[in-house]
Amino acid sequence: MRIGVLAKAAGVSVPTIRYYESIGLLMPPARQGGQRVYGEQALGAIRLIRHCRDLDFSIDETRELLASVQGCVPCSETRTFAEKHLGAIRTKIAELRVLEATVASLVSGCEATCSGSVAPDCVILQPGCGPHSAPS
């Protein structure tokens, strides 16, 4: 199939396919008559790439997972890989919860102290009022 047909079947754009090729996630196919002709394997690879990206795996992690599929790596290794990713997600969620609490506190402080004042005086914009401020 040609690149436009592949893009439509995979639910991505033609530039996305070219990007995947340029970064080595998708191997460029042989050309017939000067045009790229893709097989079903390319469609499966793009679907897997999209799935990995939807799960927030990085490009490098996605590359590793594609290699695992192509190399028929045991599922247990893929599970270990996913467990590591899950740990990173949980760490990020914890960091985001701290950030959420900090911003909520600043918004609350703004409501209490900044009524009608100008932006430079706003508690939200004051250095030392965020999650990276030094203890008093």
Side-chain angles (χ1 to χ4, degrees), residues 102 106 113-114 117-131 133:
T102 300
L106 290 171
T113 62
C114 295
S117 62
V118 294
D121 296 330
C122 183
V123 69
I124 293 171
L125 301 177
Q126 298 303 309
C129 293
S133 56

Side-chain angles (χ1 to χ4, degrees), residues 91-105 130-132:
T91 298
K92 185 66 174 176
I93 289 170
E95 292 168 354
L96 287 171
R97 285 189 176 128
V98 169
L99 181 60
E100 176 190 30
T102 300
V103 173
S105 174
H132 299 292

Side-chain angles (χ1 to χ4, degrees), residues 36-78:
R36 301 171 184 185
V37 179
Y38 297 86
E40 289 296 319
Q41 187 176 17
L43 179 58
I46 293 170
R47 287 180 174 158
L48 179 57
I49 293 166
R50 294 302 316 147
H51 179 67
C52 289
R53 298 298 290 141
D54 287 345
L55 295 175
D56 202 37
F57 284 103
S58 69
I59 295 293
D60 288 337
E61 290 169 330
T62 299
R63 188 176 288 110
E64 286 185 53
L65 290 168
L66 277 169
S68 295
V69 168
Q70 293 163 350
C72 298
V73 170
C75 184
S76 60
E77 288 186 32
T78 303

